[in-house]
PDB file of all heavy atoms in Angstrom:
ATOM      1  N   GLY A 917      75.731  30.716 136.973  1.00 71.00           N
ATOM      2  CA  GLY A 917      76.596  31.501 136.112  1.00 71.00           C
ATOM      3  C   GLY A 917      77.535  32.389 136.930  1.00 71.00           C
ATOM      4  O   GLY A 917      77.136  32.905 137.988  1.00 71.00           O
ATOM      5  N   HIS A 918      78.728  32.600 136.440  1.00 78.00           N
ATOM      6  CA  HIS A 918      79.692  33.429 137.171  1.00 78.00           C
ATOM      7  C   HIS A 918      79.930  34.772 136.495  1.00 78.00           C
ATOM      8  O   HIS A 918      80.407  35.703 137.162  1.00 78.00           O
ATOM      9  CB  HIS A 918      81.016  32.658 137.305  1.00 78.00           C
ATOM     10  CG  HIS A 918      80.886  31.369 138.015  1.00 78.00           C
ATOM     11  ND1 HIS A 918      80.813  31.282 139.392  1.00 78.00           N
ATOM     12  CD2 HIS A 918      80.819  30.091 137.550  1.00 78.00           C
ATOM     13  CE1 HIS A 918      80.701  29.993 139.773  1.00 78.00           C
ATOM     14  NE2 HIS A 918      80.716  29.253 138.654  1.00 78.00           N
ATOM     15  N   SER A 919      79.647  34.894 135.233  1.00 85.00           N
ATOM     16  CA  SER A 919      79.906  36.163 134.529  1.00 85.00           C
ATOM     17  C   SER A 919      78.740  36.481 133.617  1.00 85.00           C
ATOM     18  O   SER A 919      77.937  35.612 133.251  1.00 85.00           O
ATOM     19  CB  SER A 919      81.206  36.052 133.734  1.00 85.00           C
ATOM     20  OG  SER A 919      81.090  35.061 132.731  1.00 85.00           O
ATOM     21  N   MET A 920      78.661  37.733 133.237  1.00 90.00           N
ATOM     22  CA  MET A 920      77.601  38.222 132.360  1.00 90.00           C
ATOM     23  C   MET A 920      78.184  39.390 131.567  1.00 90.00           C
ATOM     24  O   MET A 920      78.834  40.278 132.094  1.00 90.00           O
ATOM     25  CB  MET A 920      76.387  38.674 133.195  1.00 90.00           C
ATOM     26  CG  MET A 920      75.235  39.301 132.401  1.00 90.00           C
ATOM     27  SD  MET A 920      73.852  39.769 133.454  1.00 90.00           S
ATOM     28  CE  MET A 920      74.657  40.971 134.531  1.00 90.00           C
ATOM     29  N   GLN A 921      77.868  39.382 130.252  1.00 91.00           N
ATOM     30  CA  GLN A 921      78.378  40.434 129.386  1.00 91.00           C
ATOM     31  C   GLN A 921      77.408  41.628 129.369  1.00 91.00           C
ATOM     32  O   GLN A 921      76.173  41.428 129.300  1.00 91.00           O
ATOM     33  CB  GLN A 921      78.566  39.883 127.983  1.00 91.00           C
ATOM     34  CG  GLN A 921      79.092  40.926 126.989  1.00 91.00           C
ATOM     35  CD  GLN A 921      79.377  40.345 125.631  1.00 91.00           C
ATOM     36  OE1 GLN A 921      80.033  39.331 125.523  1.00 91.00           O
ATOM     37  NE2 GLN A 921      78.875  40.981 124.571  1.00 91.00           N
ATOM     38  N   MET A 922      77.961  42.795 129.442  1.00 92.00           N
ATOM     39  CA  MET A 922      77.174  44.039 129.339  1.00 92.00           C
ATOM     40  C   MET A 922      77.615  44.806 128.129  1.00 92.00           C
ATOM     41  O   MET A 922      78.810  44.955 127.859  1.00 92.00           O
ATOM     42  CB  MET A 922      77.363  44.895 130.590  1.00 92.00           C
ATOM     43  CG  MET A 922      76.632  46.207 130.564  1.00 92.00           C
ATOM     44  SD  MET A 922      76.934  47.214 132.055  1.00 92.00           S
ATOM     45  CE  MET A 922      75.932  48.632 131.703  1.00 92.00           C
ATOM     46  N   ASN A 923      76.661  45.263 127.347  1.00 94.00           N
ATOM     47  CA  ASN A 923      76.941  46.024 126.118  1.00 94.00           C
ATOM     48  C   ASN A 923      76.371  47.442 126.285  1.00 94.00           C
ATOM     49  O   ASN A 923      75.215  47.615 126.609  1.00 94.00           O
ATOM     50  CB  ASN A 923      76.274  45.356 124.915  1.00 94.00           C
ATOM     51  CG  ASN A 923      76.555  43.875 124.860  1.00 94.00           C
ATOM     52  OD1 ASN A 923      77.693  43.448 124.652  1.00 94.00           O
ATOM     53  ND2 ASN A 923      75.541  43.054 125.043  1.00 94.00           N
ATOM     54  N   LEU A 924      77.232  48.415 126.078  1.00 93.00           N
ATOM     55  CA  LEU A 924      76.846  49.811 126.342  1.00 93.00           C
ATOM     56  C   LEU A 924      77.339  50.698 125.195  1.00 93.00           C
ATOM     57  O   LEU A 924      78.454  50.560 124.674  1.00 93.00           O
ATOM     58  CB  LEU A 924      77.469  50.279 127.660  1.00 93.00           C
ATOM     59  CG  LEU A 924      77.251  51.756 128.034  1.00 93.00           C
ATOM     60  CD1 LEU A 924      75.794  52.000 128.376  1.00 93.00           C
ATOM     61  CD2 LEU A 924      78.162  52.176 129.156  1.00 93.00           C
ATOM     62  N   ASP A 925      76.436  51.633 124.801  1.00 94.00           N
ATOM     63  CA  ASP A 925      76.803  52.665 123.822  1.00 94.00           C
ATOM     64  C   ASP A 925      76.063  53.925 124.281  1.00 94.00           C
ATOM     65  O   ASP A 925      74.856  54.073 124.069  1.00 94.00           O
ATOM     66  CB  ASP A 925      76.393  52.264 122.433  1.00 94.00           C
ATOM     67  CG  ASP A 925      76.955  53.231 121.364  1.00 94.00           C
ATOM     68  OD1 ASP A 925      77.491  54.291 121.782  1.00 94.00           O
ATOM     69  OD2 ASP A 925      76.822  52.939 120.172  1.00 94.00           O
ATOM     70  N   ILE A 926      76.791  54.846 124.913  1.00 94.00           N
ATOM     71  CA  ILE A 926      76.178  56.027 125.506  1.00 94.00           C
ATOM     72  C   ILE A 926      77.032  57.278 125.166  1.00 94.00           C
ATOM     73  O   ILE A 926      78.234  57.179 125.074  1.00 94.00           O
ATOM     74  CB  ILE A 926      76.026  55.857 127.049  1.00 94.00           C
ATOM     75  CG1 ILE A 926      75.322  57.073 127.660  1.00 94.00           C
ATOM     76  CG2 ILE A 926      77.365  55.642 127.687  1.00 94.00           C
ATOM     77  CD1 ILE A 926      75.016  56.895 129.137  1.00 94.00           C
TER      78      ILE A 926
END
Side-chain angles (χ1 to χ4, degrees):
H918 300 282
S919 62
M920 176 179 62
Q921 180 175 311
M922 178 182 181
N923 311 294
L924 176 69
D925 189 352
I926 184 173

